[in-house]
C-alpha cells in the first residue's frame, strides 16, 4: 500500500551530476604512456585498484570490496599484462581495499612467498577492531548508509562508488608489515612507501619517483572527507587528513592516483585540488573548535557550519558527496569534549518513551501531536513534521499513522539531500517505518561478510561482548582453543560474569579445543572435559538481532 502522505521522488541536480562525474565513469584508465593503470569503480563497486607493471611482474595497490569486484579487477589486469602479480599493497584496513585479493592471487602463492602482501604495522589490530566490538551495529549502519535496501529506481550512489549488499570476502592476511617510511624495489620498480594515517590510522601511500607519481587511498576523494561516518566508528582525527595531504603537496607529483578517484595529471592542478581539499578539512575542524570554545553544542555546530566557504569549493572533490559538514562537526564535540552538553538537565534524562508520553499529554494527546505533524508536512516543514511524528510514535509505538507520517517526512528530507549517505539513511528509514524492509536483513547481508573475513582467534576474542551475565553467574571456566587456520592459541576464561581472552595456552584448563575459522562448526575437544566447551558456548549470546533505527 502506498504511503498516503508520500511525496514525489526527486534528486537535487548535483546529486545526479556527481554520479555522472564519478560512478558512471567506471572503467580502466592508463596513465599516459606509463605502465600504470587504475581500475576505477570496478563494476560500480566501491573501491578501485592501481596496477603497476614492472620488469617481471605486477604490483597491485588495493584489491576491491569483495570477490566480485576483485574478479573484475583481475580481468582488467589481464587485458593489459600477462605478467604475474609479485606484490599486493593494502592501503589500509577498510574492507573495500582488501576483500578482493583472493580473486587476484592465491593463498598458496602468498604463503610460499611468490607474492608479498604489504600493509602498515597496525593493520591487523585496526582491521580486527574496525568491525570488532560493535560489528552488529556497524553492519546495520553499512546497509543504511550505503543504499543496500534502495531499489534501482533510486539511481543511488555513495559519492565515491556504490556499496554492494554483502558479497564474498577474499581477504588474505598481509605477510610484510611496514613500520616506517621505506623504499622498496619490486619487479625493478622503486616505490617509496610513506605513512599518511588519514581516514584510517593504518593508511599509507606510495611515491614512484621514476613516474613522478603518488598513489593514495581515502585521504583524497570525490567528496569532502568523511571525518565522521554515521555507520559508526571511532573518532577520526582531522589533523591526520591534513598531514597526509601535506605529504602529497610536499612531493608535488605530476600524477595523482587513488582508490576512489580517476587518475589526475598536472602539478598545478593536483596541487590546487589537494590544497583546497586539505584546507576544507582544516576549516571544519578549526571553526568547530573555535565555536566549541564559545559554548556551542553539537546541534548548534551543525547549524553554524552547514556549508564550506566558496574559496575551497572544487567539484567533484570539495563537495558534500561523501562527507558532509552536518554529520562531521557534532562528532568533533562528542569525540573531543563529551557526549554531555554541559546542561545538567541532560546528564541523566528521562527515558525517551516516558518523555514522549508526558510531552504528548501536555500537548493535548497523541492525536493532536500527529495532526500538527501532518500540517507541517503539508506545509513543507518536513524536519518539524518528522520530530512531531517521532514524538507521537514514541508515545504510541503501535500507531501506524504516526509511522507513515514520519516516513513521508523523512523521505521528503532525503530527496533534498546532495549527500548520498544522508539521503540513503533518510530513505531507508522511511522504508523501515513502512515495513518495507527487515532491519535484521542487514546483519545477514553485511554481517556475514564481516564474519567471513575474521580468523578463528579474532572471532573468539570478540566473544567477551557476547557473554550473557546471568548465565555466567557464579561460573569459573578456562578453555584453550588451538586454531588450525592460523596456528594461534587462545585461552578463554570465565570469571566474575566476564570473559577474558588471553594469548597462548594456559596450563591449568578445563578443556583443550581445536577449531578452524568457523569456530562453532569446526570445534573438536582434544582433551579435558567435553562439557566445559558446551558450558562455555552455552553462556554466549550469539543471536544476531536486527533492531529498529526509527520505530523506537
Amino acid at each position: 500500500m502506498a504511503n498516503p502522505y508520500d511525496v514525489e521522488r526527486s534528486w537535487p541536480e548535483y546529486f545526479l551530476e556527481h554520479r555522472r562525474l564519478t560512478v558512471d565513469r567506471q572503467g580502466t584508465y592508463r596513465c599516459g604512456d606509463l605502465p600504470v593503470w587504475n581500475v576505477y569503480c570496478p563494476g560500480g563497486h566501491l573501491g578501485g585498484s592501481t596496477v603497476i607493471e614492472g620488469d617481471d611482474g605486477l604490483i597491485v595497490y588495493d584489491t576491491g570490496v569483495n570477490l566480485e569486484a576483485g574478479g573484475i579487477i583481475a580481468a582488467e589486469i589481464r587485458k593489459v599484462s600477462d605478467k604475474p602479480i609479485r606484490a599486493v599493497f593494502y592501503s589500509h584496513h577498510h574492507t573495500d581495499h582488501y576483500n578482493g585479493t583472493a580473486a587476484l592471487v592465491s593463498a598458496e602463492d602468498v604463503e610460499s612467498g611468490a607474492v608479498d602482501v604489504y600493509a602498515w604495522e597496525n593493520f591487523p589490530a585496526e582491521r580486527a577492531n574496525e568491525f570488532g566490538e560493535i560489528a552488529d551495529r556497524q553492519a546495520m549502519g553499512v546497509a543504511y548508509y550505503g543504499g543496500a535496501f534502495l531499489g534501482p529506481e533510486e539511481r543511488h550512489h555513495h559519492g565515491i562508488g556504490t556499496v554492494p549488499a554483502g558479497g564474498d570476502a577474499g581477504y588474505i592476511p598481509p605477510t610484510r608489515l611496514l613500520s616506517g617510511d621505506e623504499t622498496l624495489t619490486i619487479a625493478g620498480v622503486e616505490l617509496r612507501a610513506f605513512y599518511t594515517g588519514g581516514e584510517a590510522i593504518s593508511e599509507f601511500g606510495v611515491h614512484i619517483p621514476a613516474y613522478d607519481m603518488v598513489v593514495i587511498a581515502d585521504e583524497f576523494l570525490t567528496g569532502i572527507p568523511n571525518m565522521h561516518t554515521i555507520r559508526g566508528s571511532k573518532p577520526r582525527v582531522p589533523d591526520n587528513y591534513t598531514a597526509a595531504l601535506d605529504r602529497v603537496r610536499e612531493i608535488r607529483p605530476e600524477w595523482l592516483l587513488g582508490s576512489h578517484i580517476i587518475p589526475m595529471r598536472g602539478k598545478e592542478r593536483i596541487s590546487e585540488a589537494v590544497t583546497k581539499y586539505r584546507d576544507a578539512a582544516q576549516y571544519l575542524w578549526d571553526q568547530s573548535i573555535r565555536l566549541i570554545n564559545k559554548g556551542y553544542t553539537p546541534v548548534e555546530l551543525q547549524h553554524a557550519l552547514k556549508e564550506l566557504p566558496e574559496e575551497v569549493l572544487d567539484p567533484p572533490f570539495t563537495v558534500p558527496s561523501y562527507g558532509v559538514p552536518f554529520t562531521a562537526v557534532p562528532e568533533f564535540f562528542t569525540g573531543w569534549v563529551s557526549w554531555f552538553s554541559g546542561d545538567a538537565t541532560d546528564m541523566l534524562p528521562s527515558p525517551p518513551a516516558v518523555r514522549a508520553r508526558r510531552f504528548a499529554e501536555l500537548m493535548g494527546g497523541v492525536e493532536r501531536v500527529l495532526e500538527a505533524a501532518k500540517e507541517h508536512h503539508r506545509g513543507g516543514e518536513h524536519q518539524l513534521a518528522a520530530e512531531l511524528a517521532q514524538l507521537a510514535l514514541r508515545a504510541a509505538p503501535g500507531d501506524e499513522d504516526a509511522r507513515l507520517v514520519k516516513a513521508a517526512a523523512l523521505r521528503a528530507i532525503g530527496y533534498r539531500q546532495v549527500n548520498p549517505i544522508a539521503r540513503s539513511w533518510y530513505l531507508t528509514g522511511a522504508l523501515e517505518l513502512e515495513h518495507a524492509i527487515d532491519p535484521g536483513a542487514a546483519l545477514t547481508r553485511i554481517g556475514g561478510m564481516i564474519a567471513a573475513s575474521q580468523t578463528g582467534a579474532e572471532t573468539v576474542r570478540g566473544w567477551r561482548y557476547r557473554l550473557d551475565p546471568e548465565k555466567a553467574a557464579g561460573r569459573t571456566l578456562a578453555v584453550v582453543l588451538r586454531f588450525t587456520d592460523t596456528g594461534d592459541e587462545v585461552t578463554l576464561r570465565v570469571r566474575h560474569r566476564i570473559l577474558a581472552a588471553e594469548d597462548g595456552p594456559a596450563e591449568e584448563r578445563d578443556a583443550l579445543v581445536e577449531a578452524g575459522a568457523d569456530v562453532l562448526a569446526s570445534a573438536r575437544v582434544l582433551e579435558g572435559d567435553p562439557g566445559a566447551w558446551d558450558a562455555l558456548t552455552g553462556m554466549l549470546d550469539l543471536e544476531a538481532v536486527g533492531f529498529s533505527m526509527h520505530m523506537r
Side-chain angles (χ1 to χ4, degrees), residues 49-52 58-63 77 85 87-89 104:
S49 180
T50 293
V51 182
I52 304 151
L58 306 175
I59 304 144
V60 178
Y61 182 93
D62 286 347
T63 64
I77 288 173
I85 294 173
V88 172
F89 285 52
L104 280 73

Side-chain angles (χ1 to χ4, degrees), residues 176-198:
R176 293 183 177 243
L177 298 177
L178 303 171
S179 59
D181 292 3
E182 186 174 338
T183 298
L184 306 166
T185 300
I186 303 171
V189 180
E190 181 185 295
L191 306 107
R192 297 178 182 174
F194 62 95
Y195 181 69
T196 55

Side-chain angles (χ1 to χ4, degrees), residues 93-293:
H93 68 272
H94 292 164
T95 55
D96 52 310
H97 298 266
Y98 63 71
N99 259 341
T101 303
L104 280 73
V105 298
S106 70
E108 292 75 19
D109 280 347
V110 172
E111 187 175 352
S112 71
V115 179
D116 289 321
V117 180
Y118 290 84
W120 207 256
E121 63 178 349
N122 58 355
F123 176 95
E126 289 299 313
R127 177 183 164 276
N129 181 260
E130 180 75 22
F131 286 99
E133 292 93 335
I134 56 171
D136 288 357
R137 174 59 176 79
Q138 287 178 305
M140 291 188 64
V142 167
Y144 276 68
Y145 94 147
F149 293 115
L150 303 182
E153 70 278 2
E154 289 293 350
R155 285 185 275 173
H156 194 67
H157 63 94
H158 193 59
I160 55 173
T162 58
V163 177
D168 294 322
Y171 171 65
I172 297 176
T175 56
R176 293 183 177 243
L177 298 177
L178 303 171
S179 59
D181 292 3
E182 186 174 338
T183 298
L184 306 166
T185 300
I186 303 171
V189 180
E190 181 185 295
L191 306 107
R192 297 178 182 174
F194 62 95
Y195 181 69
T196 55
E199 180 164 297
I201 61 171
S202 61
E203 200 147 359
F204 73 100
V206 172
H207 175 209
I208 309 174
Y211 303 148
D212 201 2
M213 176 181 292
V214 166
V215 187
I216 56 174
D218 284 10
E219 289 105 352
F220 187 75
L221 308 138
T222 52
I224 62 173
N226 204 11
M227 291 184 284
H228 171 65
T229 173
I230 58 175
R231 69 166 164 81
S233 76
K234 296 182 295 184
R236 295 174 174 177
V237 182
D239 282 348
N240 286 7
Y241 287 90
T242 57
L245 293 165
D246 282 340
R247 293 295 303 269
V248 178
R249 294 172 67 237
E250 290 167 8
I251 296 170
R252 208 167 182 271
E254 175 68 17
W255 286 94
L256 179 63
L257 279 69
S259 301
H260 298 293
I261 61 169
I262 293 170
M264 296 177 65
R265 184 177 190 179
K267 290 182 182 294
E268 293 299 328
R269 174 68 184 115
I270 291 169
S271 179
E272 177 188 30
V274 170
T275 299
K276 286 185 175 181
Y277 198 85
R278 64 87 62 207
D279 288 355
Q282 181 175 337
Y283 172 84
L284 290 175
W285 169 248
D286 288 1
Q287 293 309 308
S288 294
I289 297 303
R290 181 178 72 87
L291 296 177
I292 286 170
N293 285 324

Side-chain angles (χ1 to χ4, degrees), residues 68-80:
E68 181 182 352
I72 294 170
I73 293 168
E76 290 299 298
I77 288 173
R78 292 308 158 215
K79 290 179 183 178
V80 300

Side-chain angles (χ1 to χ4, degrees), residues 523-547:
R524 184 169 63 95
V525 178
L526 298 181
E527 64 180 54
D529 179 10
W533 175 245
D534 293 336
L536 173 64
T537 56
M539 298 180 209
L540 302 177
D541 178 6
L542 296 174
E543 182 182 8
V545 178
F547 52 86

Side-chain angles (χ1 to χ4, degrees), residues 419-480:
N419 182 267
I421 295 171
R423 178 185 175 100
S424 175
W425 208 289
Y426 281 115
L427 299 186
T428 304
L431 292 174
E432 178 196 319
L433 288 158
E434 293 166 347
H435 307 289
I437 62 169
D438 172 15
L443 296 182
T444 302
R445 293 183 179 189
I446 311 296
M449 183 177 177
I450 295 170
S453 65
Q454 291 184 318
T455 66
E458 289 169 343
T459 296
V460 301
R461 288 189 183 104
W463 282 359
R464 58 183 290 191
Y465 309 107
R466 304 284 188 179
L467 188 73
D468 185 323
E470 298 306 315
K471 293 179 180 178
R475 303 294 301 271
T476 58
L477 198 63
V479 174
V480 174

Side-chain angles (χ1 to χ4, degrees), residues 40 82 128 235 286 371 392 488 552:
Y40 176 70
D82 59 1
D286 288 1
E371 284 306 313
D488 290 331
R552 322 179 198 183

